[in-house]
């Protein structure tokens, strides 16, 4: 007899909350340690998102579906957990940028200038100023929050699609009654 199914969205909401809070703590640790501009920190965030997506799907399968889950259920659970975490992260990012953003924006602008000069050392002052002015326009809390949410949602989608291939476990047993 099948258990009463717990709604995927409720389970995903809880795991999205856990993942979102974990990513916020990780972001604050990177900020305190002055690592927020390092490229490798993005990979650490992606690993946590992957872990959250997998954990949400596997836990849903094992706790509520008697160890069996379809590809679609696994994908939905993982993606929704990532989506909820992305929304929580975007809200945090917005408030972080509003209250602590000036220092962060200055650091990001310095890094952008270094990268531009590194990739094109012969760039003229006028071209450099134009590139930096466009970068500065994109460094407002709303845009950064939207970009962060879209990025997290995209990676949650990709991770859920791939992880569900390995997480799915369909019940192929045939029950007969005599």
């Amino acid at each position: 007899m099948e258990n009463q199914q717990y709604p995927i969205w409720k389970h995903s909401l809880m795991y999205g909350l856990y993942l979102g809070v974990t990513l916020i703590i990780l972001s604050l640790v990177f900020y305190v340690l002055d690592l927020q501009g390092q490229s490798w920190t993005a990979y650490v965030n992606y690993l946590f998102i992957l872990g959250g997506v997998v954990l949400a799907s596997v836990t849903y399968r094992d706790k509520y579906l008697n160890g069996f889950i379809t590809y679609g259920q696994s994908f939905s659970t993982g993606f929704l957990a990532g989506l909820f975490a992305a929304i929580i992260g975007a809200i945090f990012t917005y408030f972080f940028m509003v209250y602590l953003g000036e220092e962060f924006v200055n650091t990001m602008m310095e890094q952008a200038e270094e990268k531009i000069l590194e990739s094109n050392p012969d760039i003229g002052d006028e071209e450099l100023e134009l590139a930096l002015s466009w970068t500065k326009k994109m460094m407002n809390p709303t845009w950064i929050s939207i970009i962060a949410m879209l990025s997290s949602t995209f990676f949650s989608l990709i991770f859920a699609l791939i992880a569900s291939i390995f997480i799915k476990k369909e019940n192929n047993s045939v029950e007969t009654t005599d």
Side-chain angles (χ1 to χ4, degrees):
M1 184 173 216
E2 190 171 311
N3 287 345
Q4 183 78 10
Q5 278 198 353
Y6 188 72
I8 287 176
W9 70 268
K10 278 187 179 180
H11 178 80
S12 297
L13 179 62
M14 287 309 300
Y15 277 81
L17 179 65
Y18 299 149
L19 178 58
V21 169
T22 301
L23 291 173
I24 289 170
I25 291 169
L26 186 63
S27 177
L28 289 173
V29 167
F30 289 155
Y31 178 75
V32 168
L33 296 176
D34 198 27
L35 299 171
Q36 70 270 13
Q38 303 293 321
S39 61
W40 63 268
T41 59
Y43 297 116
V44 173
N45 276 325
Y46 299 149
L47 283 174
F48 274 87
I49 293 170
L50 174 62
V53 165
V54 168
L55 185 62
S57 294
V58 168
T59 305
Y60 189 72
R61 177 191 71 193
D62 295 343
K63 190 172 182 180
Y64 299 109
L65 299 177
N66 298 323
F68 300 104
I69 193 167
T70 66
Y71 180 85
Q73 289 170 319
S74 176
F75 168 74
S76 297
T77 304
F79 174 70
L80 286 174
L83 177 64
F84 291 135
I87 292 168
I88 291 166
I91 293 167
F92 164 77
T93 301
Y94 180 81
F95 286 107
F96 178 83
M97 293 298 298
V98 167
Y99 295 108
L100 297 172
E102 189 173 326
E103 180 183 328
F104 179 74
V105 169
N106 290 339
T107 302
M108 296 307 288
M109 290 299 295
E110 289 171 10
Q111 290 175 352
E113 184 175 2
E114 288 173 14
K115 285 181 183 177
I116 292 169
L117 291 172
E118 215 174 84
S119 66
N120 188 3
D122 298 329
I123 192 169
D125 289 341
E126 198 172 288
E127 292 170 318
L128 178 63
E129 287 302 317
L130 180 64
L132 290 176
S133 72
W134 277 102
T135 303
K136 179 79 171 170
K137 288 178 186 176
M138 298 303 288
M139 290 284 178
N140 71 54
T142 303
W143 275 114
I144 289 179
S145 298
I146 289 170
I147 291 168
M149 187 174 106
L150 291 175
S151 173
S152 293
T153 302
F154 173 76
F155 282 101
S156 297
L157 172 76
I158 299 301
F159 293 151
L161 284 169
I162 294 169
S164 294
I165 295 169
F166 303 102
I167 296 170
K168 74 175 181 164
K169 191 188 287 184
E170 296 188 22
N171 187 357
N172 295 327
S173 65
V174 178
E175 292 182 24
T176 59
T177 56
D178 292 315

